[in-house]
Amino acid sequence: MSRGPEIGTLVTRNVEQAARRYGCGVRVQSVQSTRWASATFNGERHRLQASATPSPALDKWLADLCDADFSIRGHLVADIHVRSIQRASELVGIELEVLTLEDA
């Protein structure tokens, strides 16, 4: 029986949808997910490689991203931040890190 998409896929979808709400098209090329745990929480750390066309909307989205609310059934996005931004004239490369916790 299928449990649905993996959490890395859900994070990717949420990031792309959040960018669309700002009017910018961010495309995630890859996601690497690693299990993570503390004394009280279990989850995963996700590193996303993405790209987008440069625009004021993209700059605004990147500036607001750490305060964004994500809704992923069964998980809580505990932390999201931009690890790096590489700007070229026609393309912006973005590396994001997202920490999700399993909702108990």
Side-chain angles (χ1 to χ4, degrees):
M1 182 171 182
S2 176
R3 294 179 12 231
E6 296 295 322
I7 182 63
T9 300
L10 296 174
V11 168
T12 296
R13 288 177 186 168
N14 271 262
V15 165
E16 290 177 342
Q17 289 169 355
R20 278 195 299 275
R21 286 192 297 273
Y22 271 72
C24 53
V26 170
R27 173 103 169 107
V28 175
Q29 278 87 29
S30 67
V31 61
Q32 294 176 319
S33 300
T34 306
R35 292 291 300 162
W36 177 92
S38 71
T40 54
F41 297 106
N42 291 312
E44 291 189 38
R45 189 169 297 282
H46 313 276
R47 185 165 290 178
L48 288 77
Q49 299 291 330
S51 62
T53 303
S55 71
L58 176 65
D59 294 338
K60 175 75 171 136
W61 178 73
L62 288 168
D64 293 350
L65 188 58
C66 66
D67 295 324
D69 288 325
F70 291 90
S71 178
I72 302 175
R73 187 171 31 112
H75 296 85
L76 169 70
V77 175
D79 187 39
I80 183 167
H81 71 274
V82 179
R83 291 188 51 88
S84 68
I85 301 171
Q86 298 171 350
R87 296 184 184 272
S89 60
E90 296 183 22
L91 195 64
V92 177
I94 306 160
E95 183 178 352
L96 304 174
E97 189 168 286
V98 181
L99 174 63
T100 57
L101 303 177
E102 294 172 3
D103 194 10

